[in-house]
Amino acid sequence: MRAAIVGCGRVGEKRARALGESVRLGAVADCDAGRAVALAARHGCAAETDWRVLVARDDYELAIVCTPHDRLAEIASAAVARGRHVLVEKPAARSVEELDALIRAARRAGTTVAVGFNHRFHPALREAHALFESGAIGALLCVRARYGHGGRAGYEREWRADPRVAGGGELIDQGVHLIDLARWFAGEFVDTSGRLATLYWPAPVEDNAFLSLTTAAGQVAWLHASWTEWKNLFCFEVFGREGKLQVDGLGGSYGVERLTVHRLGPAPGPPDTSTREYPGEDLSWREELSDLVHRIEAGRPPAIGLEDARAALTIVDRLYAQGRPAVAHDR
């Protein structure tokens, strides 16, 4: 399969490295000519500075869209209109309304559109989900998760802090990963509440998002996404009637990926605990793309599609509709 990448920043570079032997990169595009040429040189492919020129090319079957949020849906829609399959980075759009235009375009074209929620392909989270589905910790009680980083100098001037480009702040940035993972374990949420706050970064978006999501059965997911997590952190916990699953770390600056399984005995008390670590490089990007290619070739739907993105963005939209974040920073 031949691929083309739109967006040659950090994520685009990760996507290019993750292609593997079964996918050949034919062309890349970025409005920054230097970035496009540099990535193309590393992978021996063509470089464009206009994404429309790339989309119009005939030498690819899969478009991988890795741009800032304001262009994701537009470029993906143009690619499916050309009959191409698409992997579009999360959140796939800035709002449900924007995403719905892409959904309609994909239905008309009949091509496959996957959404890049790569966290589902981290080995610790995949193993945790398999254990959960097998009944290893019994019926679900609740989910608790934290995810964040501390930004960097000038972060308030980057595109992620511009609501016109990003659609919001940390909620639509890392928060959507937590929402997607919570849905993966708990199913659909019928009640959404929370608080958005700008605690530190002098930007017109939230740098912290606190969410409480509830299923029809009353199971709660308590999620916190933060740009003031000064030491990068990822922690995802699933509580069941017979035990608990906890995933810590994502590799790299987030620490070694680790799955801890706590199993209760016949009665409540100290659990039996086992831990498995997953050292080495982050292979989630490669696993996600490999899975998508196999599904396209087999005529199967993507593991994570536009309806998953829509469910996550519905929750995001509801929280943004509650009003602007509370501002508490004094810098």
Side-chain angles (χ1 to χ4, degrees), residues 244-261:
K244 173 187 169 184
L245 303 166
Q246 179 168 330
V247 175
D248 293 286
L250 294 171
S253 63
Y254 286 88
V256 174
E257 192 169 334
R258 180 183 299 109
L259 170 61
T260 302
V261 181

Side-chain angles (χ1 to χ4, degrees), residues 100-186:
D100 280 346
L102 173 55
I103 292 174
R104 291 191 295 270
R107 287 173 179 168
R108 288 193 299 268
T111 60
T112 298
V113 180
V115 180
F117 282 108
N118 69 297
H119 286 26
R120 289 203 204 182
F121 289 86
H122 275 272
L125 285 160
R126 295 183 80 172
E127 179 65 16
H129 191 261
L131 287 170
F132 174 73
E133 289 292 300
S134 74
I137 62 168
L140 178 69
L141 298 178
C142 60
V143 172
R144 180 173 63 193
R146 296 171 291 152
Y147 192 13
H149 63 81
R152 49 189 163 261
Y155 200 69
E156 71 275 15
R157 296 188 296 274
E158 296 186 17
W159 68 262
R160 285 181 176 83
D162 184 342
R164 297 167 300 177
V165 178
E170 171 66 334
L171 173 61
I172 202 169
D173 183 18
Q174 291 183 312
V176 289
H177 273 304
L178 294 184
I179 294 169
D180 178 68
L181 290 173
R183 284 188 61 250
W184 196 29
F185 283 85

